[in-house]
Amino acid sequence: MLDRRVLVARLLGLAPAAAAYRVAFSGGRDSTALLHALAEVRDRLPAPLAAVHIDHGLHPESARWAEACESVCERLGVGLECRRVVVPPSAGQGLEAAAREARYRAFGELLAAGDCLVLAHHADDQAETFLLRALRGGGLHGLCAMPAWRPLGRGRLVRPLLEVPRTALTAYLQSRSLDWIEDPANRDPAHDRVYLRERVLPVLAARWPDATGHLQSAVASLQADQALLGGYLDRDLATARAADGRPAVAELRRLMPYQRQAVVRHWLVCSGYRPPPGRRLAAGVQALIESGPDAQPELRWTDGCIRRYRGRLYLLAAVPPPADPEPRPQAWAGQGRLILAGGALSAQWSPAGIDPERLAHGVTVVFRSGVLEVAARRRLQRLYQRLGVPPWERDRVPLLFAGSRPVAVAGYGIAPGERARPGLRIVWQPSRPAAQSPSN
């Protein structure tokens, strides 16, 4: 039976200071048990309880399932946010993986700063994930299966039920005469996970009754080993970082190839990204580190992209933001936040920055497409080079002009003749799509 007190303690241990706890609610057995259990003890949570439902549109009844979830949440007095996603056909991965990508991308977009997404993955799910990763040739990172928590979007994802068996959730629902939605896909052995659940794990349990528990213990041991390795990789990554915090190619080149891959993989994980498959990672890291100075290598995969510029590695979102989000020039005197289509611009006091008198007299904020004069574009190109603005960013960051003279590139720096001590630092906060996708 699911113990609600243990559930709350586990949840608070994973996310003690969340702004909100948002249950990923599909209407299936596991998430129904989780939502009802938390609703019963919501007074013990330090933040509001809510739910999120993702409609993949893959089943004719998906709209009805969303309505059923709304009814459940209404009865429980829990707010629900529904999001319909499009699951595109994706080369190199099946429908399960494509749906998971779309679902987690939506989760990342929905989470506000400090929100905690609570998932209902349990001990049996963990065993299935371990076996799937092993059968696919996963390394240490893959065999660690699902972490109890990880960053997601502007918040974090937690799994407080990883030590709870599926039978305990079923018993909890039956004790309260609660129904749940049965997705036919969860019984279709054409899906790898279902095949393991329906055909493989029962055979293992017949021979080893506590097979799931032993697999869970193996995962715990591997996660401990990974945590130990992570400590060493933290040190290596810190050594490899340049002054701006980005990995330096020259430092990575000092390492053996397998060490480079491990450090780059660790950098991705620490940044909240799912690393690419092993072979693609190895080939991509080799190109990024060993390509000549005139090359423009990149490592692109489903979840992100790594590019190289001036001896640094840059981690970018899988889907780049649109270029030239606000081509029209706008006057600004540095007061308050200037809201643009691509983000927000502000000025903050700093030991060194732009002369406040310059801003007080007013400047023009424009993106590169709005710089039409040939002389102004030449000056801007020289400033880009001086400040080290990567080529792929030049269409997306706002510029400050005084007449035809570029004064600053927001987020990168100020033209030499415009600096003052103290001064105002120009801060650019882009409104970019969530780049993190599921590691599980």
Side-chain angles (χ1 to χ4, degrees):
M1 181 73 72
L2 178 60
D3 188 324
R4 293 165 297 167
R5 291 174 299 178
V6 173
L7 170 61
V8 170
R10 179 65 171 161
L11 177 58
L12 295 182
L14 295 172
Y21 296 95
R22 309 184 72 178
V23 175
F25 183 44
S26 67
R29 170 185 47 205
D30 307 334
S31 63
T32 297
L34 175 61
L35 181 62
H36 276 82
L38 288 177
E40 290 180 7
V41 292
R42 75 186 81 184
D43 59 319
R44 302 182 190 177
L45 299 177
L49 177 67
V52 179
H53 176 80
I54 305 298
D55 180 0
H56 302 87
L58 297 176
H59 191 277
E61 296 293 315
S62 66
R64 187 178 65 81
W65 294 343
E67 294 175 358
C69 290
E70 291 176 351
S71 297
V72 170
C73 289
E74 185 176 354
R75 290 196 302 270
L76 291 173
V78 173
L80 175 68
E81 184 169 1
C82 292
R83 172 70 66 90
R84 180 74 180 264
V85 298
V86 176
V87 182
S90 180
Q93 63 178 352
L95 186 62
E96 286 179 285
R100 185 172 61 251
E101 298 284 354
R103 179 168 65 252
Y104 278 84
R105 186 166 289 113
F107 284 148
E109 293 169 356
L110 287 170
L111 290 182
D115 279 0
C116 174
L117 181 72
V118 189
L119 299 186
H121 293 130
H122 47 70
D124 297 80
D125 291 325
Q126 188 75 303
E128 293 165 10
T129 301
F130 173 82
L131 289 175
L132 279 173
R133 300 286 181 83
L135 292 169
R136 292 169 180 169
L140 176 60
H141 180 76
L143 294 178
C144 284
M146 295 182 287
W149 77 273
R150 68 174 178 85
L152 181 65
R154 291 175 291 173
R156 69 166 53 188
L157 169 159
V158 301
R159 298 180 173 97
L161 298 178
L162 286 180
E163 297 179 3
V164 178
R166 180 184 289 116
T167 54
L169 302 181
T170 303
Y172 172 84
L173 293 172
Q174 291 174 343
S175 70
R176 286 159 173 75
S177 300
L178 296 173
D179 296 325
W180 61 86
I181 295 169
E182 287 285 2
D183 185 347
N186 290 333
R187 295 290 183 183
D188 184 357
H191 301 303
D192 292 342
R193 184 176 289 274
V194 177
Y195 185 86
L196 283 175
R197 182 185 307 144
E198 301 290 335
R199 305 283 180 86
V200 176
L201 280 169
V203 175
L204 293 178
R207 180 65 178 85
W208 296 279
D210 195 24
T212 297
H214 291 317
L215 293 173
Q216 187 179 8
S217 296
V219 169
S221 297
L222 290 169
Q223 289 179 343
D225 290 343
Q226 187 183 43
L228 179 62
L229 176 62
Y232 293 109
L233 290 174
D234 283 338
R235 181 192 61 194
D236 291 343
L237 178 58
T239 301
R241 289 187 189 272
D244 61 3
R246 296 183 175 91
V249 172
E251 293 297 329
L252 291 172
R253 191 175 287 125
R254 300 174 188 271
L255 303 176
M256 297 294 291
Y258 71 90
Q259 292 175 305
R260 301 172 187 171
Q261 296 168 33
V263 170
V264 172
R265 172 187 282 276
H266 189 62
W267 174 48
L268 294 176
V269 172
C270 291
S271 302
Y273 282 67
R274 181 178 69 173
R279 291 182 181 178
R280 182 177 298 182
L281 178 66
V285 170
Q286 181 179 6
L288 289 164
I289 303 304
E290 298 182 5
S291 295
D294 295 331
Q296 296 183 352
E298 66 175 31
L299 169 56
R300 185 177 293 275
W301 72 106
T302 305
D303 308 296
C305 176
I306 302 175
R307 288 181 170 178
R308 187 186 75 185
Y309 180 66
R310 290 191 175 183
R312 306 286 191 270
L313 297 186
Y314 287 76
L315 180 54
L316 311 174
V319 180
D324 300 328
E326 186 70 47
R328 297 175 300 169
Q330 296 195 44
W332 189 49
Q335 299 296 322
R337 284 161 56 90
L338 179 62
I339 304 300
L340 304 173
L345 199 63
S346 62
Q348 299 177 0
W349 280 103
S350 174
I354 192 171
D355 188 343
E357 292 294 326
R358 167 64 68 194
L359 283 184
H361 286 90
V363 295
T364 300
V365 178
V366 65
F367 285 82
R368 184 162 70 164
S369 64
V371 182
L372 303 179
E373 295 182 10
V374 174
R377 293 185 71 89
R378 288 175 178 168
R379 294 189 190 100
L380 177 60
Q381 182 63 27
R382 290 195 293 270
L383 185 58
Y384 280 145
Q385 294 290 337
R386 178 185 289 271
L387 297 179
V389 182
W392 59 86
E393 285 291 302
R394 295 177 184 180
D395 286 335
R396 302 185 180 107
V397 293
L399 312 164
L400 274 62
F401 267 78
S404 63
R405 189 172 67 258
V407 173
V409 180
Y412 284 92
I414 300 163
E418 305 293 340
R419 294 172 184 164
R421 292 181 178 273
L424 292 170
R425 182 168 60 95
I426 306 302
V427 179
W428 172 238
Q429 294 179 309
S431 53
R432 297 187 174 179
Q436 295 152 343
S437 291
S439 57
N440 298 103

